[in-house]
Amino acid sequence: MLFIDNQNITDPRINLAIEEYALKYLPADHDYLLFYINEPSIIIGKNQNTAEEINADYVAKNGIHVVRRLSGGGAVYHDLGNLNFSFITNDDGNSFHNYRKFTEPVVKALNELGVEAELTGRNDIQVGERKISGNAQFSTKGRMFTHGTLLFDSQMENVASALNVNPEKFKSKGVKSVRSRVANISEFLREPMSIEQFRQHILNSIFAGSQVQQYVLTEADWKRIDQISAERYRNWDWNYGKSPAFNVKRVKRLGSGTFDVRLYVEKGLIKSASVYGDFFGLGETSEFTDKLVGVRYDREALEQVLDTLDLAYYFGPVSKEEWLEMVL
């Protein structure tokens, strides 16, 4: 096995591109191990509805990256207190769905630190009833990766805020995240340590004390990684537009009355919109909703449209911010 040094990059759009590049383009006669730590991000499962998983207002205000990954499963929050690992191997027919094969070395490393961790269910690592790691897999053309999170010292209040979405607001066929009781590994350590020390311990343990052999990414490798990042992980169509079709329904009381807003969103674009309520306005609401059709269902795009419209003309005294908060 060769270890890939990601040069301490914390941009998830680069780190996921490194992982994909290693999977698809590095020589298949080696297995690879990749570690990465991401700045605040929500990493969305391949089959999920992005809008349904994130608190859009909190994400926008806090500059949190939202990136869809190749593997399935639920949405997870990453920050600088979370260490991610990825085993990139051949798919030999016996490894896909075999999470124990890849989590055992990690569990062993945790046990060495006095953390009583174990694989539970299908793909979680827990200490008692509290989850410290979630894992997922992806396979293509005879190669696969198994990757997972290690919550070392994450800001738990941000985890809850970033992923806190009202389940009544959306109705879609996307795979829903299951929230579990989570904990930081730092709570269970015999002695305090930094995440850098923790990372080094996990690495040394996986290589069983022998010298860590590395694959050093070349200039040509980095060029292809940057291309993958631009085409997929920095691409709105991948991160948001790949979401399953869904309906948005929001009923809210504002100063000018009660609003019942309904949107149908497909491939990240608003396909139809309607507004009902007991508000007083001069204009026809259909004129307003027609302007929303074809617009991306995200804050920036909607804000640009609302800047061109006289909301008071259609709905009475209601602000742009109130509208954005209501529909997002």
Side-chain angles (χ1 to χ4, degrees), residues 147-166:
H147 57 187
T149 62
L150 286 169
L151 286 166
F152 180 75
D153 191 23
S154 285
Q155 300 299 311
M156 291 302 184
E157 65 275 16
N158 295 343
V159 176
S161 298
L163 295 173
N164 182 24
V165 179
N166 180 356

Side-chain angles (χ1 to χ4, degrees), residues 119-246:
L119 180 67
T120 61
R122 183 184 61 173
N123 60 339
D124 291 340
I125 299 175
Q126 292 186 193
V127 178
E129 297 298 316
R130 302 177 73 190
K131 178 178 173 178
I132 59 170
S133 171
N135 297 266
Q137 294 180 322
F138 176 74
S139 177
T140 181
K141 298 180 179 178
R143 295 285 281 171
M144 63 175 285
F145 63 64
T146 302
H147 57 187
T149 62
L150 286 169
L151 286 166
F152 180 75
D153 191 23
S154 285
Q155 300 299 311
M156 291 302 184
E157 65 275 16
N158 295 343
V159 176
S161 298
L163 295 173
N164 182 24
V165 179
N166 180 356
E168 296 302 318
K169 183 177 175 183
F170 298 97
K171 295 191 182 299
S172 81
K173 295 181 180 179
V175 176
K176 312 296 190 296
S177 288
V178 177
R179 309 296 178 217
S180 305
R181 289 188 65 206
V182 295
N184 277 317
I185 293 165
S186 58
E187 297 178 36
F188 307 106
L189 294 173
R190 284 192 296 249
E191 297 179 2
M193 65 194 316
S194 68
I195 193 168
E196 290 78 16
Q197 292 170 322
F198 176 70
R199 174 185 179 276
Q200 193 61 48
H201 169 77
I202 301 293
L203 181 61
N204 291 341
S205 180
I206 289 174
F207 277 85
S210 60
Q211 184 177 358
V212 177
Q213 301 291 324
Q214 289 197 30
Y215 177 85
V216 179
L217 293 167
T218 66
E219 185 176 339
D221 292 334
W222 282 111
K223 184 175 181 181
R224 187 72 178 95
I225 288 166
D226 288 339
Q227 183 180 357
I228 292 171
S229 176
E231 292 177 354
R232 190 187 303 278
Y233 301 107
R234 297 180 187 274
N235 187 331
W236 185 93
D237 288 335
W238 169 255
N239 293 324
Y240 286 86
K242 288 289 184 181
S243 296
F246 60 97

Side-chain angles (χ1 to χ4, degrees), residues 69-126:
R69 63 179 185 267
L70 289 175
S71 62
V76 290
Y77 177 81
H78 289 182
D79 63 15
L80 297 176
N82 179 80
L83 176 67
N84 304 281
F85 62 87
S86 181
F87 291 97
I88 300 150
T89 65
N90 287 323
D91 185 357
D92 58 9
N94 298 311
S95 295
F96 200 74
H97 297 311
N98 183 1
Y99 286 95
R100 188 169 299 278
K101 174 180 178 180
F102 300 100
T103 57
E104 269 188 347
V106 177
V107 168
K108 176 178 176 290
L110 290 168
N111 293 162
E112 291 166 355
L113 294 173
V115 180
E116 297 179 359
E118 60 180 345
L119 180 67
T120 61
R122 183 184 61 173
N123 60 339
D124 291 340
I125 299 175
Q126 292 186 193

Side-chain angles (χ1 to χ4, degrees), residues 16-52:
L16 291 179
I18 295 172
E19 183 176 60
E20 181 176 345
Y21 178 78
L23 175 75
K24 294 181 177 179
Y25 300 106
L26 289 188
D29 52 352
H30 287 290
D31 294 338
Y32 301 91
L33 173 64
L34 171 67
F35 284 167
Y36 53 91
I37 296 173
N38 288 326
E39 57 209 35
S41 319
I42 298 176
I43 309 300
I44 303 291
K46 178 179 66 174
N47 301 312
Q48 291 191 294
N49 171 8
T50 301
E52 192 173 17

